[in-house]
Amino acid sequence: SSGNQARGPDTALWAFTAGATPIAGVTISNAAYPGKVLQPAGNSSNSGADVVLGDPAVTHVVVQVKNPWHMSSPSLGASQFASHA
């Protein structure tokens, strides 16, 4: 066990931050690691790539979320994942 691993209840708290449009996707972050976002290791786009918490990618567009995820399900329509508050 490494001394720099986060511990405690914050490791179970995940935030999903939606972009301005459904196409923009969502950013996934963890309360125990402020400033880090969930992303594929090595910025891979390969199916089955490892997923890590790391520094977010730089964005240049206001409506773009950092390291966006697009959620889908074969049993649910896309509109059920695209609701924004």
Side-chain angles (χ1 to χ4, degrees):
S1 170
S2 171
N4 64 356
Q5 290 179 334
R7 299 187 196 295
D10 283 352
T11 59
L13 298 175
W14 293 90
F16 294 77
T17 305
T21 67
I23 294 171
V26 296
T27 294
I28 305 171
S29 57
N30 185 280
Y33 299 92
K36 305 290 184 186
V37 296
L38 196 65
Q39 57 192 292
N43 207 20
S44 175
S45 60
N46 295 328
S47 177
D50 290 335
V51 178
V52 298
L53 280 168
D55 294 327
V58 176
T59 59
H60 301 287
V61 180
V62 175
V63 297
Q64 183 179 1
V65 296
K66 297 176 184 295
N67 301 92
W69 289 85
H70 299 276
M71 296 181 224
S72 64
S73 169
S75 59
L76 298 173
S79 63
Q80 291 177 283
F81 288 98
S83 62
H84 295 84

